Structure formats: C-alpha cells, structure tokens
Amino acid sequence: LYSKSGRSGQPAAQLAIPAGQPGVVFDEDLEKARQWQRAVDDALPTPELFPQRLGRYELRKKLGEGSFAEVYLAFDSELGREVALKLPRRNRFTSANQLTQFLGEARTAAILEHPGIVRVYDIGWISPEICFISMEHCPGGSLNDRLKSAELTIDQAVELVESLAEAIHFAHLHGFVHRDLKPANVMVGAFGEVQVMDWGLAKEYGAHESESGTSQQEQLD
C-alpha cells in the first residue's frame, strides 16, 4: 500500500481497507496509525533491560516472540510467583482493532479453564492504548524447541497427541476452534505436561446453531 506521497511502510500495510473500496491510503490515515504506534512504543518497557518493573511485575528475561507480541518471564511481587507476561511488539500495533484482538485472545483463554490450556491470570494496562496479559509460566519452553532437541518415542508421541486432543476437544465443546495449532503454540509444563496457548486466531461458534442452521457439533466435525 502506498500513501499519496508514494512512500510505503509498515503502518500503511496494517491499515484495514473495507471490502469493495479502492486500495488508497491517505496521509491523514497514515499519521493516525503512526501516532497510535508511537503511543504504544513509548509505553512499552525498555528493550533488553533486565530487570525492570512493570507495575507489580519484575521483568527478568525475554522468553520469545511472535508476529505481534513478545513474552517475558516476570515475577509477580504481590503473589510471589513467576508468570509469563505477553506484551505487544514494538512497531506492530497501529490501531484499536489490533488491541481488541489482543484482548480477545486473553478472554478466550480465560474462559477455557483446562489442564491442557495455558491459564490466563490477569490483564494489566500500561496506558489507554496498550495492555499486557499475565499467564501461567511453562518452564519447559515450547514443544517446537523440545522436538528440535530430542526425538519422541512412539509412546511419548501417542501420550502427547492424546493430551492435546483432550484440550482441543474441551475448547470445541465450549464453542472455540484454535485455528493455529502447531508445536510453537504448545508449551511444556514443569512436569512435562503439554498445554495449548496463543488463542489470538481462535474462532468462536454460536452455542447452538449458526445462521445457516448448522449445529455447532456439525460445524466442528
């Protein structure tokens, strides 16, 4: 996407254009996106500075990152426990719609209380533009990293798939489909248990029937 000045950039690429309208991005829209982005970036913690405080949390190290968010190991000084804090990445958030999607992930995970799903503890606000998600810390890292370091036996693989299937089935029964299930979005707990995380692309179905009259179970099948 290009502005009228002919310059391209990441903020322009992230602006939503309604279907059926020409793909023109105006300078005032770009400036609005840049202002939102600057407000978010100014509120975020200083990169690679540890430890540093974010309210009641002490950020200790960076655990990983995705397309739009970073995850940090943090210590909750009020409850005396380690947690994983998920924050937006710099130069990624440019609109309130992205904030809504970020919050939606936390709310979905909070609804789905299951041993095979990473628990969400809390949502905290840094500024009116940005929030963070406090989640259960899984010290074993991601399944993706585990598979790179060691091969699973057949028995281990069967047990792992069974555990994941139970967690995903639980989500389906509550009307949610993950839509991005992969080893990088599966975490390993302290005792080797696997837990699904990153519900940002999850799709929620109606409790009984869709607009077409198809039942929820039929849709999931």
Side-chain angles (χ1 to χ4, degrees), residues 60-116:
R60 294 184 169 177
K61 68 177 181 178
K62 184 176 177 179
L63 296 175
E65 64 182 36
S67 299
F68 289 95
E70 297 176 332
V71 180
Y72 293 86
L73 174 64
F75 183 75
D76 184 342
S77 58
E78 290 190 12
L79 296 179
R81 64 181 177 187
E82 288 187 334
V83 300
L85 285 190
K86 189 170 187 177
L87 296 94
R89 287 184 61 183
R90 293 178 180 274
N91 303 315
R92 289 294 190 273
F93 270 49
T94 58
S95 71
N97 288 336
Q98 291 174 324
L99 175 61
T100 300
Q101 182 178 347
F102 190 74
L103 285 170
E105 174 188 351
R107 289 166 179 156
T108 299
I111 292 172
L112 301 175
E113 294 187 19
H114 186 275

Side-chain angles (χ1 to χ4, degrees), residues 16-24 26:
I17 299 177
Q21 295 188 13
V24 177
F26 296 103

Side-chain angles (χ1 to χ4, degrees), residues 114-118 138 141-143 146 152 156 159-165 167 185-197:
H114 186 275
I117 296 175
V118 175
C138 300
S142 73
L143 177 60
R146 178 67 61 88
L152 299 177
Q156 289 173 330
E159 183 178 353
L160 185 151
V161 171
E162 182 181 12
S163 297
L164 290 178
N185 288 337
V186 176
M187 304 303 293
V188 181
F191 302 101
E193 70 278 16
V194 289
Q195 298 171 284
V196 181
M197 66 170 294

Side-chain angles (χ1 to χ4, degrees), residues 167-203:
I168 295 302
H169 179 62
F170 177 84
H172 289 177
L173 291 177
H174 287 75
F176 291 93
V177 176
H178 191 282
R179 300 204 302 172
D180 194 23
L181 188 61
K182 56 187 178 183
N185 288 337
V186 176
M187 304 303 293
V188 181
F191 302 101
E193 70 278 16
V194 289
Q195 298 171 284
V196 181
M197 66 170 294
D198 202 344
W199 294 81
L201 296 179
K203 175 71 175 179

Side-chain angles (χ1 to χ4, degrees), residues 114-174:
H114 186 275
I117 296 175
V118 175
R119 288 178 293 174
V120 168
Y121 295 138
D122 194 14
I123 294 176
W125 290 88
I126 305 175
S127 73
E129 294 84 10
I130 199 62
C131 68
F132 60 87
I133 303 172
S134 171
M135 306 180 298
E136 179 181 4
H137 171 51
C138 300
S142 73
L143 177 60
N144 189 52
D145 294 334
R146 178 67 61 88
L147 293 175
K148 289 179 180 179
S149 61
E151 292 187 2
L152 299 177
T153 66
I154 293 179
D155 288 343
Q156 289 173 330
V158 169
E159 183 178 353
L160 185 151
V161 171
E162 182 181 12
S163 297
L164 290 178
E166 289 177 353
I168 295 302
H169 179 62
F170 177 84
H172 289 177
L173 291 177
H174 287 75

Side-chain angles (χ1 to χ4, degrees), residues 24-39:
V24 177
V25 178
F26 296 103
D27 287 337
E28 55 265 29
D29 295 324
L30 286 173
E31 182 55 32
K32 184 183 298 184
R34 293 190 183 105
Q35 288 176 358
W36 180 281
Q37 191 174 85
R38 284 195 294 267

